[in-house]
Amino acid sequence: MRWLRQLLGSRRVQLNPGRQQALLRDVRHQYGARSQVRFPEQVEAITRMLNDDDGLVVAARIVSEAADEAHADLQAQAHDVHRRTGRRLLVHRRNYRPLWKEAGPALRWPLFALPCGLHPYAQVTAAVAVVGSRAPRLGRVADPNPLLARVFEVLDLTIAGWEYGRVRVDTDAAALADRLISTAGQVLAAIDDPPRLPPPVRELMRRNHTLDVHDPTGPRVVGVINLGARMRETLLV
């Protein structure tokens, strides 16, 4: 594997696990829903903190942790639905859209209730931005392929939440989706043999409609987002 050869063969990568733990602790506890600072300012502050290889490792861990915990939460929800009603729901990490299409009203969007305390519009958005901006370095500190899968997974959950999970599309939500798409493109460009795009992305890329984007503090529409066009221009390279 190219990433492992790079990691073992490079003398320039000096990682500090202790510093990584400290960074992760600070990012986890200083930011998020409890902070009085607006999400865009939190994202800027976190990205400045994670501005080196140790920060990139932490950012990758945050993205993966968010995806893993969201998946575990959906599995638990599906189990609870089956226990209460006898209805079986299939939870597939590569494509959550069939699950949400079938049972959206019965499900809770998991990214707002991650046990790790990460908030999708603060720590997760910042971590995704760091991964994208430092994508050429990924192969020196981690395997980019499973991380790319987690980026696509969070993107799938984000958009399914808008369409089927009653999640409001405001500027913070749109910023998360936009960064997920751009980061996926940056990571794809950094991989020698990029994988095939996952089913939900291919489905959405065939569309060309726009969604209203609202002000986070009120009902006012402040813009629009065309997910299909954004994905096509970013991921079809």
Side-chain angles (χ1 to χ4, degrees):
M1 292 180 290
R2 178 173 177 267
W3 75 271
L4 184 56
R5 291 196 300 269
Q6 284 185 329
L7 182 60
L8 295 176
S10 175
R11 297 180 179 179
R12 292 178 293 173
V13 178
Q14 298 292 331
L15 298 177
N16 184 336
R19 181 168 178 270
Q20 293 168 24
Q21 286 299 115
L23 284 170
L24 182 61
R25 182 177 60 250
D26 290 345
V27 169
R28 195 189 304 275
H29 295 296
Q30 293 180 19
Y31 301 97
R34 67 177 64 85
S35 174
Q36 299 302 309
V37 180
R38 294 173 63 247
F39 288 132
E41 282 73 28
Q42 292 190 52
V43 170
E44 290 182 9
I46 296 168
T47 53
R48 287 195 298 269
M49 290 176 62
L50 306 181
N51 65 351
D52 58 11
D53 285 339
D54 284 315
L56 178 57
V57 172
V58 171
R61 178 172 171 181
I62 288 172
V63 174
S64 296
E65 193 169 313
D68 290 344
E69 292 196 350
H71 176 250
D73 182 270
L74 284 173
Q75 284 186 312
Q77 291 188 58
H79 177 76
D80 184 62
V81 169
H82 180 257
R83 179 186 59 80
R84 290 185 290 103
T85 69
R87 181 185 184 188
R88 291 190 180 276
L89 299 175
L90 299 179
V91 182
H92 294 300
R93 295 190 75 161
R94 189 165 166 80
N95 190 359
Y96 286 117
R97 292 182 66 77
L99 169 70
W100 283 93
K101 288 178 183 178
E102 179 183 354
L107 298 175
R108 177 187 67 254
W109 196 56
L111 293 178
F112 279 152
L114 297 173
C116 58
L118 300 172
H119 195 284
Y121 302 159
Q123 296 102 325
V124 176
T125 299
V128 170
V130 169
V131 168
S133 66
R134 299 182 64 80
R137 299 286 298 178
L138 269 177
R140 298 183 179 275
V141 301
D143 183 351
N145 285 281
L147 179 59
L148 176 63
R150 300 291 85 81
V151 169
F152 278 130
E153 187 176 346
V154 177
L155 177 61
D156 185 11
L157 285 169
T158 298
I159 298 171
W162 296 358
E163 295 185 338
Y164 308 109
R166 303 174 299 281
V167 176
R168 188 169 183 263
V169 185
D170 61 18
T171 54
D172 297 318
L176 172 60
D178 188 73
R179 289 177 188 266
L180 285 161
I181 294 169
S182 62
T183 290
Q186 290 165 313
V187 177
L188 280 168
I191 297 176
D192 282 343
D193 186 19
R196 190 181 184 201
L197 296 174
V201 170
R202 298 200 304 272
E203 176 183 336
L204 290 164
M205 286 172 64
R206 292 192 289 268
R207 300 183 181 182
N208 200 40
H209 66 272
T210 59
L211 296 171
D212 289 338
V213 178
H214 296 82
D215 187 310
T217 62
R220 184 167 60 99
V221 174
V222 295
V224 296
I225 185 171
N226 185 325
L227 293 167
R230 183 77 175 93
M231 290 182 184
R232 290 192 298 272
E233 70 183 18
T234 304
L235 303 178
L236 293 182
V237 293

